[in-house]
Amino acid sequence: MKMITFFIVGLLVHVVFFLSIFDIYFTSPLVHGMTPQRVSLPPPAKRLVLFVADGLRADSLFKPDDNGTVRTPYLRSIIEEAGTWGVSHTHVPTESRPGHVALIAGFYEDVSAVAKGWKENPVEFDSVFNESRHTWCWGSPDILPMFAKGASGDHVYTHTYPPEREDFASTDASRLDTWVFDEVKAFFSAAKNNETRLNQLHEEQNVFFLHLLGIDTNGHAHRPMSKECLENIGLVDTGVAEIVTVIDDFFGHDGKTAYVFTSDHGMTNWGSHGAGHPSETLTPLVAWGAGVQTAQRADSQKYDDFYLKEWGLETYKRVDVNQADIAPLMSSLLGVPFPLNSVGVLPLNYLNNSQHFKAESMFANAIQILEQFKVKMAQKKETTISILFTPYQPLTESKQMDFVRHARELIQRRQFDKAIPYCEDLIAQALQGLSYYHTYDRLFLGSSVVLAFIGWTSYVVLFILKTHASLRKPPTNTHSVAERSLVWTFLCLGLFVALFLAVQSSPWTYYIYCLLPVLVWYAVVKEYETLAGLIRSIPSLPLSQCFGYFLLVMFGIELLVVSFFYRGMLTLGLILLAPWPVVSGLYIKAKFRSVTWMLSCLCLALFPLLPVVGRDPNVNYVICAGVLTLLISSSYLWSSWKRSPLIRDGQLFICQIMQVMLCAYILTSTHISLQLKQGLPLFNQLVSWITLASSFFVPLLSSTRLFHRLLSILLSLVCVYLLLSTGYEALFPPVLSWLMFAWINVEQEAMNTRGRSNRTELSSVDFAENIDITKIRQLTLDDIRRSYFFVFFIIIAFFGCGNIASINSFDPASVYCFLTVFNPFIMGGLLMWKVLIPFVIVMCTFESIRVSTRLSSRSLFLVVLVISDLMALHFFFLVKDYGSWLDIGTSISHYVIVMSMTIFLMVLSIMTHILTSKRILIGQKRKMHLR
């Protein structure tokens, strides 16, 4: 197989590996075709008002101030006198869209829902709004449209403010909530003079939804415990009291209005959300009004989380729920059908109604979830060969009928106290059955992908051995016969797999995942001559030394994997790398460069021990980073000037150094301006965007000398990184670059120490020179070490300042030099570039080492590919072992990161191979011309 073909096939294989994780773990839980279920008895409420305070934590609402003053006196009075309260437990990802879907539709979107962001209903689903007669919504343009566009008919009306109001630099983000309250008051005031609207409002099963974004915006901009955010919470409490008065007055205090106050997610102390920290998953829930149980006293409660005492609510009955349980609660209060895809369980302790009503409600809830189970089971049964189908034993078709019949009989006999727990048991079984069928093919698909993974990694190893170890013998006639038999064997196996999938009417993606192992293992078995040569050479190998290398490689890979979960392991890795020049003997011949390597390793080792970025912003670090960059670049310029004058590059470097200091000033100036609530200065914004745009082409103006080009790239990237920094992470690129420069020098010394005849002085290395193919060497053990160093430094680049697999590691304040008005796509793009900047620095360094050590790019990338594939396979197994969705989501995100990195390397390998081949061809033509 030609090298370019190998890289293209490898890219396609890794794209399949990347996409497989979404088909296996991120399939939509939604099914369609169920019959709506409603309670036949009259509902307690004619209308329901839903308040969602976006980003409000449970403790921010319930916990009094340090002096004992309650922040929300009105809602506190509801808790103590008129309603029921508790904690709503959200699920990961704790983002706005998944949170609102759980609240209003009653089901949890998969972890990938965060990637859908704020799109308008990418997946069709039912909701309380859709089942209502009319729904009026006020609030954010990012949230409301997705429920309006997903509703059948035109009975959901939205009123939103302009997107420009969602400005993190706003003098007062609470004005978003003030706008909502004012609009609702104006709406009811105008309705008194509008007969059509008046008639609509007096109909039953109406919903009023108030989305309050001010707390979330202030929490991001100023932190949840800031004065601005706490004052916003007080404003919301006052606004809720005013809206309740307006609505009660409008409907003549008829006692038919139910109120629910909650939040979609919480927020960490450093102003972010998305992961599973308790501050993100614990949200408040307060319900009162028609059909809701009034406040109840409790002498002792079952909760042992110490929150009751901290909040001063230990004597008031607390009723916790899962976030999806709020949807069936609202449906029951209104008398509308439960959302068809809801998996919420009706929290009966919130209802103030007869046992008959509660029993009928639980029965409808159970049948609604059982309907989903039936559809899911039927779908899986249709796509599975009957003899291979394994039904969910606790709920076979006969047992379903028995459950439903017995529950109905208990209600008809008026044995409500027995019917309610019986229905709850049916709900629990149906939910487990839904999970069973939802993950029915997971083991099958996962096993196929693992087989393909192992086969591909084995093939790459054999490919390296065949290329660099000369293990393969010339083909013989016997070899040709065996190869034809091999082709027919695997062809029959592939046809059998395809037929098996066709009989089951499997999706087309299943064919890819199941046929890929056949193709990959055919390629592996086809190299049996190489494998046989390896086996024959085993007796001549130093087995103890090989075993030692094997253990060392396994330890290194385990260190990389564990570092994804515990950043401190990166510190251990850097400490272990620091004495490498001493152990390898380089210290004796290159003391200064070895000491530089050790010091830079130890300095970089401090970063993984520091808190995740964004939790403690301090722009003074940015100034220090600018000064450090100035010192590093100045010292290099001075040493280069002594060797040879820097004519054109010297002027460019001086301009770039001045730009670094300007960016440090821009960041500081922007921070001060936002603190004074003066907004983002236009000049600062223009300089930031110009710096970002220029960073892509300014390095091309420098010469192609190795260190000159690297320094220019570093200065351009540091400028952008400074503008995207909020704290100590601004120091990370300069320190990382210091280590990278040391690595280049030490690797050159390692080459010189080994006595390579084709060694090249670093000062004369030119990226643009044509390649002499006779000087390109074969792989050695040192190159495997270099490849491992590269992967390790890539992980350092990703996780040195935080966990990029966790959403709450990102601080929106990082992009305030570029924009402050909420725009998830631009902000996400800028934050992603911030993450990639250290990655680019390491990539450029690795390419420099490859050029200076005269090694083929394909050889190094093949070794890197094996290491990264072994890591990805490790994460794939971790996903299968972990039980909780939080752990699964973490392992999946790590797998996605490694696969993304591998795909990027494959693309880079293809580009590098094409460019290198062209330069080799030019070099050969020039050599022939000279002859």
Side-chain angles (χ1 to χ4, degrees), residues 361-523:
S361 298
M362 287 303 299
F363 180 75
N365 193 182
I367 298 301
Q368 170 259 323
I369 295 177
L370 185 63
E371 284 284 318
Q372 296 181 69
F373 171 82
K374 289 179 179 179
V375 173
K376 202 82 170 178
M377 183 179 71
Q379 288 178 351
K380 193 51 60 183
K381 199 171 183 179
E382 289 175 2
T383 58
T384 307
I385 299 174
S386 57
I387 59 174
L388 298 178
F389 179 70
T390 306
Y392 180 65
Q393 292 302 323
L395 274 183
T396 58
E397 292 183 1
S398 60
K399 290 180 180 179
Q400 292 175 38
M401 296 174 63
D402 292 340
F403 260 117
V404 174
R405 183 177 62 252
H406 187 53
R408 176 46 67 189
E409 287 175 353
L410 289 174
I411 294 174
Q412 289 174 348
R413 294 181 203 152
R414 305 189 68 78
Q415 296 179 353
F416 306 127
D417 292 338
K418 292 183 179 179
I420 290 173
Y422 192 79
C423 290
E424 289 175 341
D425 184 48
L426 175 57
I427 290 174
Q429 293 291 352
L431 289 174
Q432 291 180 13
L434 274 173
S435 176
Y436 172 80
Y437 286 119
H438 184 62
T439 60
Y440 191 85
D441 292 333
R442 186 171 290 177
L443 178 62
F444 171 65
L445 293 177
S447 301
S448 297
V449 173
V450 167
L451 276 174
F453 235 127
I454 296 173
W456 170 256
T457 306
S458 303
Y459 178 72
V460 174
V461 172
L462 290 174
F463 191 87
I464 294 173
L465 291 174
K466 182 177 70 173
T467 307
H468 296 275
S470 302
L471 293 175
R472 189 171 184 178
K473 290 185 175 181
T476 60
N477 293 333
T478 308
H479 175 83
S480 301
V481 173
E483 189 167 328
R484 282 196 296 271
S485 302
L486 197 63
V487 170
W488 282 108
T489 301
F490 276 89
L491 182 61
C492 292
L493 181 61
L495 290 174
F496 173 78
V497 171
L499 181 63
F500 175 78
L501 295 174
V503 170
Q504 298 194 110
S505 302
S506 300
W508 64 271
T509 52
Y510 282 37
Y511 289 84
I512 297 176
Y513 302 140
C514 295
L515 290 176
L516 182 61
V518 178
L519 297 174
V520 169
W521 279 103
Y522 164 71

Side-chain angles (χ1 to χ4, degrees), residues 782-803:
D782 263 353
D783 297 318
I784 298 176
R785 173 191 54 73
R786 291 183 182 102
S787 300
Y788 178 81
F789 279 13
F790 168 66
V791 176
F792 181 79
F793 289 139
I794 285 291
I795 306 303
I796 286 284
F798 274 138
F799 294 98
C801 294
N803 181 7

Side-chain angles (χ1 to χ4, degrees), residues 516-538:
L516 182 61
V518 178
L519 297 174
V520 169
W521 279 103
Y522 164 71
V524 172
V525 178
K526 189 179 177 183
E527 299 295 336
Y528 64 89
E529 287 288 346
T530 304
L531 187 60
L534 177 63
I535 295 173
R536 286 193 298 268
S537 64
I538 287 178

Side-chain angles (χ1 to χ4, degrees), residues 101-316:
V101 168
L103 285 171
I104 300 167
F107 73 92
Y108 302 106
E109 289 190 299
D110 57 63
V111 181
S112 66
V114 69
K116 299 182 179 73
W118 291 262
K119 288 184 180 178
E120 299 169 355
N121 263 3
V123 179
E124 292 297 328
F125 57 82
D126 193 20
S127 69
V128 176
F129 293 175
N130 188 47
E131 297 292 351
S132 67
R133 191 176 303 274
H134 300 285
T135 295
W136 286 272
C137 311
W138 295 268
S140 168
D142 300 314
I143 296 298
L144 305 190
M146 70 179 179
F147 292 102
K149 296 290 179 66
S152 57
D154 56 354
H155 64 283
V156 178
Y157 314 101
T158 60
H159 306 270
T160 62
Y161 39 74
E164 293 76 21
R165 284 178 175 259
E166 297 178 12
D167 190 346
F168 292 112
S170 169
T171 55
D172 185 12
S174 63
R175 64 180 183 173
L176 300 175
D177 300 336
T178 303
W179 183 94
V180 172
F181 293 134
D182 290 344
E183 287 292 315
V184 175
K185 293 173 189 175
F187 171 81
F188 280 101
S189 177
K192 296 176 182 178
N193 302 318
N194 186 327
E195 187 175 351
T196 303
R197 182 60 52 81
L198 197 62
N199 292 333
Q200 288 179 335
L201 290 173
H202 279 87
E203 292 177 0
E204 297 181 353
Q205 300 179 347
N206 286 338
V207 176
F208 305 96
F209 173 41
L210 284 71
H211 177 245
L212 309 169
L213 187 62
I215 295 173
D216 184 76
T217 306
N218 268 320
H220 285 307
H222 306 290
R223 306 298 182 258
M225 292 295 117
S226 65
K227 175 175 172 287
E228 291 83 357
C229 194
L230 296 179
E231 287 180 351
N232 200 154
I233 295 173
L235 181 145
V236 166
D237 180 71
T238 304
V240 169
E242 292 174 354
I243 294 301
V244 171
T245 301
V246 168
I247 292 176
D248 286 347
D249 289 345
F250 184 88
F251 292 105
H253 296 271
D254 61 356
K256 291 295 182 179
T257 307
Y259 299 92
V260 176
F261 180 93
T262 186
S263 174
D264 56 345
H265 57 76
M267 188 175 290
T268 60
N269 289 334
W270 52 96
S272 63
H273 54 81
H277 191 273
S279 61
E280 301 167 86
T281 60
L282 302 183
T283 58
L285 174 61
V286 182
W288 69 100
V292 180
Q293 185 66 256
T294 56
Q296 292 181 305
R297 293 278 182 170
D299 295 330
S300 62
Q301 304 199 53
K302 61 181 179 179
Y303 304 100
D304 57 356
D305 51 19
F306 307 106
Y307 290 134
L308 287 168
K309 186 175 181 180
E310 182 181 341
W311 298 341
L313 294 169
E314 55 264 55
T315 59
Y316 298 95

Side-chain angles (χ1 to χ4, degrees), residues 38-47 133 204-205 255-256 290-292 329-338 346 351-361 364 414:
R38 72 166 73 212
V39 180
S40 57
L41 301 176
K46 288 184 177 181
R47 66 201 70 90
R133 191 176 303 274
E204 297 181 353
Q205 300 179 347
K256 291 295 182 179
V292 180
L329 171 63
M330 294 190 293
S331 297
S332 178
L333 292 172
L334 270 179
V336 300
F338 293 94
L346 177 63
L351 296 181
N352 182 18
N353 216 314
S354 65
Q355 288 296 98
H356 186 195
F357 182 85
K358 292 181 180 179
E360 289 284 2
S361 298
R414 305 189 68 78

Side-chain angles (χ1 to χ4, degrees), residues 54 74 82 95 97 112 153 308 327 344 364 438 448 453 478 489 543 571 599 626 722 724 751 758 761 834 845 880 920:
D54 203 304
Y74 177 75
E95 290 289 331
R97 177 191 161 82
S112 66
L308 287 168
H438 184 62
S448 297
F453 235 127
T478 308
T489 301
L543 294 182
T571 297
L599 288 178
L722 291 181
L724 292 169
M751 289 289 294
N758 57 348
E761 293 298 330
K834 178 183 178 181
T845 302
K880 294 173 64 177
I920 289 175

